[in-house]
Amino acid sequence: MRTIETILSEVKKAKKNANIDMIKRAFAMAENAHEGQKRKSGDPYLLHPLEVAYILANKNMDEESIVAGLLHDIVEDTDIPLKSIEKEFGKEVSEIVDGLTKLSKISFQAKDVRQNESFRKMLLAMSKDIRVIIIKLVDRLHNMRTLDHMSSNRQQAISQETLDIYAPIAHRLGISWIKTELENLAFKYLHPEAYEKLRKNIQKSEKENTRYVQKVLEVIEDRMNENKLSCEVTGRYKHLFSIFRKMEMRNLDFEQITDLIAFRIMVDTIPQCYEALGYIHSIWKPVPGKFKDYIALPKENMYQSLHTAVIGPDGSRIEVQIRTHKMHKFAEEGVAAHWAYKTGDSFSQEELEQLNWIKRMLELQEDLPDSHEFIESVKIDLYSDEVFVFTPRGEVIELPKGSTPIDFAYRIHTEVGHHCKGARVNEKMVPLRHQLRNGDIVDIITDPNMLPSKDWLNFVKTSKAKSKIRSVLRQEQRDTGKLIGQEILDRELRKIDLSITKITDNGTLKKILDHLKLGHIDELFLGLGYGKIELSHFLPLLHDEKETNESIISKISSTLPSIRKTSTSPILVGGKENILIRFGKCCDPLPGDPIIGFVTRGKGVTVHKNDCVRLLDMDPERKIDVDWAQKDTITRIVKIKVISRDTPGILAEISKIISKGGSNIASATCSTTQDQMALNIFEISIQNAEQLRLLMGSIEHLDGIISVERTKSNA
């Protein structure tokens, strides 16, 4: 078991004047708070915060981080409140601990929602102090190291979450040593057989390739020495998960992987990086298309290095990375290097740029109140490969692979995205769904009258673009709801010789809003438009206050039947009656058909059959539940087309079947063709879909009938 002495020893190695007393006090609080608590393994719970603190101390993190590491589970798992931590250790430590505390006391509907909310909280806390996520990554690392005592299902679930969220975050922050170990540990539990087989293959390969690695190292060192270029050269096997992922993606066996080993050259300056690259290419032939210059164009986490692949000794392909010593330190420790004991508290420019992606993530939470949608947007940004494009002024913009001009526009500014009308790429007009490529110069054409289209959601790539587009569409949906509600209220007011202006002027509107506990007329419109408020809730208030109760009751009684009689169709919208509806001409549903409704601008709710082909074009955010109100008494006019031979009496036979089937003919048109065929169009009253099916089946069985089909109505 790790002890406080081993932690203090690591701290003293890095900083002689460290605040040892604060760390000791934090240990005493953690020891007292976790007394008697056990882990799944049966070990004292205190072992976990001690290990977290030790890893932080070993990586030269500051005293506040180590103290927070010791205390990170106290608020969640013990009775000690956050105020006690702030009183004892200051606001800085308490804010870090608060950012790490899970939302265990808040009740969420599902476990994944709770995890998403916890993750959201961590990201928000990061805006104040990035140490929150660094400590959380170390916390997850130790939990992954001690996962053996969990059930198999828990091992798999935790490992998948680690692979989905925490390892990519470590990568984004440039902390490669955490990212690598998290991936390998997750791989071990998610694919135990593949992990063990690959581990043994690597061990065997290492023994066989020791001489090969040494030979390559000697060749590189000799060439660098010949040219008096001081450098450090190492050769290492790629980590297990990266090899496994490559085998899976390319469907390769282990024996087919030709670049298991990566060689790294570290020099003092950037010019020396390019000098070393020239020497490597003079020794071995480079593989076309495999050179990457991450020095001139750093990755979004500010990783910098030159990558090349060459055909090395014995015709084997080898990868070579070339970087400065400073780049190497940054590649290993990333943003965590800022808190290694050093002078000065401000971030370097590289560290500030490295955190840009976090700022973009934080912007999302303003537009995505739903935590599940938020977490999915974060995943989009975590996993996407990059493409580098340029503004007309030559500024480099990094976007996920597959991004479009719309994504580019929103990256420039939200308003540029909202009003994007077109785009020129390399001085040529392109469609807005055009996928950008490395080196493209993108110029956005805007129009102040242009607004986002829901079709954009089908091809935009970045989470920012998706969230901003959805935000505008939601507002449009609210506007539509208001229009529907206003139309419903205006229609009913006209029936009793009133208007919205009149009830506003005479004070009745205020009484209605007070009665319904609403703050603004827009809320009334929305409630009516979406069926959440019924007219019967406030209809008596629409009448003149001077009228007697008897006259009010009389007018209500006469009005409500009128509403029911003039309803366009007895459909319940969200369980409510009297909502303005229309039937989709594309499918013209019948009573008994499974149906679904969509709010339509200016037309109330449009009702479609569940299997209508037009549903694919509908905005799912405008969907609303609808049902038939009185399925046994509803009749609808349906148009059917009957093609038959032009024989005497066939029209009478068709009419007889329609009558026997319990339906009436509202209208009929008949015509003949030159080839002795008859085209008959009937408009008939139908109570439900089953009645129509039986009736059409009976007509089909008549002699001389060619086809019977239902056609779209004109209504």
Side-chain angles (χ1 to χ4, degrees), residues 329-494:
K329 179 178 176 61
F330 210 76
E332 289 298 306
E333 299 180 11
V335 73
H338 174 77
W339 277 277
Y341 296 117
K342 63 180 182 180
T343 59
D345 294 326
S346 60
F347 283 101
S348 67
Q349 184 60 34
E350 290 84 358
E351 289 167 333
L352 287 172
E353 291 177 5
Q354 190 181 40
L355 299 180
N356 280 342
W357 77 274
I358 296 174
K359 294 176 182 177
R360 289 199 297 274
M361 290 299 97
L362 296 174
E363 290 174 1
L364 285 181
Q365 66 93 19
E366 298 176 3
D367 299 308
L368 299 177
D370 178 71
S371 61
H372 183 72
E373 189 175 350
F374 174 71
I375 203 76
E376 288 304 313
S377 295
V378 172
K379 286 181 181 180
I380 290 172
D381 273 13
L382 287 176
Y383 285 112
S384 301
D385 293 329
E386 298 89 359
V387 60
F388 299 95
V389 296
F390 298 90
T391 68
R393 295 182 179 181
E395 298 173 4
V396 179
I397 301 294
E398 184 179 5
L399 293 166
K401 187 176 181 181
S403 291
T404 66
I406 296 292
D407 297 290
F408 177 90
Y410 276 106
R411 178 61 60 85
I412 298 300
H413 194 278
T414 298
E415 290 303 312
V416 176
H418 284 346
H419 303 301
C420 178
K421 180 181 181 181
R424 294 187 186 91
V425 174
N426 304 325
E427 299 185 352
K428 293 182 180 180
M429 292 297 297
V430 297
L432 291 179
R433 62 173 60 244
H434 173 82
Q435 292 191 2
L436 302 175
R437 298 180 180 179
N438 279 317
D440 281 346
I441 300 173
V442 186
D443 187 12
I444 299 297
I445 302 167
T446 59
D447 181 343
N449 298 317
M450 185 71 181
L451 286 175
S453 164
K454 67 178 180 181
D455 294 334
W456 290 3
L457 292 171
N458 296 327
F459 56 79
V460 294
K461 188 72 173 178
T462 59
S463 51
K464 179 177 182 179
K466 289 179 184 291
S467 67
K468 296 297 183 182
I469 294 166
R470 288 190 181 113
S471 179
V472 172
L473 294 178
R474 286 192 189 101
Q475 185 57 49
E476 287 184 352
Q477 182 182 3
R478 285 180 60 83
D479 293 342
T480 299
K482 290 176 188 176
L483 287 173
I484 294 172
Q486 185 173 353
E487 185 174 343
I488 291 171
L489 181 59
D490 188 56
R491 182 188 64 191
E492 299 307 324
L493 288 174
R494 286 198 304 269

Side-chain angles (χ1 to χ4, degrees), residues 651-671:
L651 184 58
E653 291 294 326
I654 295 173
S655 300
K656 187 183 297 183
I657 287 178
I658 292 174
S659 178
K660 285 185 177 180
S663 180
N664 293 320
I665 299 175
S667 69
T669 58
C670 306
S671 60

Side-chain angles (χ1 to χ4, degrees), residues 374-647:
F374 174 71
I375 203 76
E376 288 304 313
S377 295
V378 172
K379 286 181 181 180
I380 290 172
D381 273 13
L382 287 176
Y383 285 112
S384 301
D385 293 329
E386 298 89 359
V387 60
F388 299 95
V389 296
F390 298 90
T391 68
R393 295 182 179 181
E395 298 173 4
V396 179
I397 301 294
E398 184 179 5
L399 293 166
K401 187 176 181 181
S403 291
T404 66
I406 296 292
D407 297 290
F408 177 90
Y410 276 106
R411 178 61 60 85
I412 298 300
H413 194 278
T414 298
E415 290 303 312
V416 176
H418 284 346
H419 303 301
C420 178
K421 180 181 181 181
R424 294 187 186 91
V425 174
N426 304 325
E427 299 185 352
K428 293 182 180 180
M429 292 297 297
V430 297
L432 291 179
R433 62 173 60 244
H434 173 82
Q435 292 191 2
L436 302 175
R437 298 180 180 179
N438 279 317
D440 281 346
I441 300 173
V442 186
D443 187 12
I444 299 297
I445 302 167
T446 59
D447 181 343
N449 298 317
M450 185 71 181
L451 286 175
S453 164
K454 67 178 180 181
D455 294 334
W456 290 3
L457 292 171
N458 296 327
F459 56 79
V460 294
K461 188 72 173 178
T462 59
S463 51
K464 179 177 182 179
K466 289 179 184 291
S467 67
K468 296 297 183 182
I469 294 166
R470 288 190 181 113
S471 179
V472 172
L473 294 178
R474 286 192 189 101
Q475 185 57 49
E476 287 184 352
Q477 182 182 3
R478 285 180 60 83
D479 293 342
T480 299
K482 290 176 188 176
L483 287 173
I484 294 172
Q486 185 173 353
E487 185 174 343
I488 291 171
L489 181 59
D490 188 56
R491 182 188 64 191
E492 299 307 324
L493 288 174
R494 286 198 304 269
K495 293 178 181 178
I496 51 178
D497 296 322
L498 288 175
S499 67
I500 293 174
T501 302
K502 286 182 181 179
I503 65 172
T504 302
D505 293 342
N506 66 21
T508 305
L509 177 62
K510 185 178 185 307
K511 291 181 180 181
I512 292 172
L513 296 179
D514 291 343
H515 175 71
L516 298 174
K517 296 179 180 180
L518 301 177
H520 195 275
I521 191 172
D522 284 350
E523 295 177 48
L524 176 61
F525 291 155
L526 279 172
L528 288 169
Y530 290 125
K532 294 179 180 179
I533 298 174
E534 296 181 45
L535 288 166
S536 58
H537 290 165
F538 61 86
L539 198 60
L541 298 175
L542 293 175
H543 299 274
D544 194 314
E545 288 180 304
K546 295 180 180 179
E547 290 185 6
T548 64
N549 289 336
E550 289 77 13
S551 64
I552 292 173
I553 293 170
S554 175
K555 191 170 287 187
I556 292 172
S557 299
S558 63
T559 303
L560 287 176
S562 173
I563 293 173
R564 285 192 288 268
K565 290 176 184 177
T566 58
S567 176
T568 54
S569 180
I571 291 289
L572 298 177
V573 179
K576 309 296 181 182
E577 297 180 346
N578 301 331
I579 303 301
L580 182 63
I581 68 103
R582 61 194 286 268
F583 291 100
K585 298 177 183 178
C586 43
C587 57
D588 211 11
L590 285 174
D593 285 334
I595 53 175
I596 191 169
F598 286 86
V599 177
T600 308
R601 183 185 299 276
K603 297 178 181 177
V605 175
T606 302
V607 180
H608 295 266
K609 291 172 65 175
N610 272 359
D611 58 356
C612 178
V613 294
R614 291 290 306 279
L615 295 186
L616 295 174
D617 299 326
M618 301 294 179
D619 185 350
E621 294 186 354
R622 296 189 179 185
K623 185 171 68 174
I624 190 167
D625 291 333
V626 295
D627 199 2
W628 300 101
Q630 300 172 341
K631 299 178 182 178
D632 296 334
T633 59
I634 301 168
T635 59
R636 292 209 57 221
I637 298 298
V638 175
K639 183 183 293 186
I640 62 172
K641 179 172 69 175
V642 181
I643 299 177
S644 66
R645 294 187 180 88
D646 186 15
T647 56

Side-chain angles (χ1 to χ4, degrees), residues 165-177:
I165 300 296
Y166 292 98
I169 287 180
H171 172 68
R172 280 290 187 172
L173 293 176
I175 313 175
S176 63
W177 66 273

Side-chain angles (χ1 to χ4, degrees), residues 129-140:
D129 201 325
I130 194 66
R131 285 173 289 186
V132 170
I133 196 61
I134 295 172
I135 299 170
K136 185 61 184 178
L137 289 172
V138 172
D139 172 47
R140 176 51 62 108

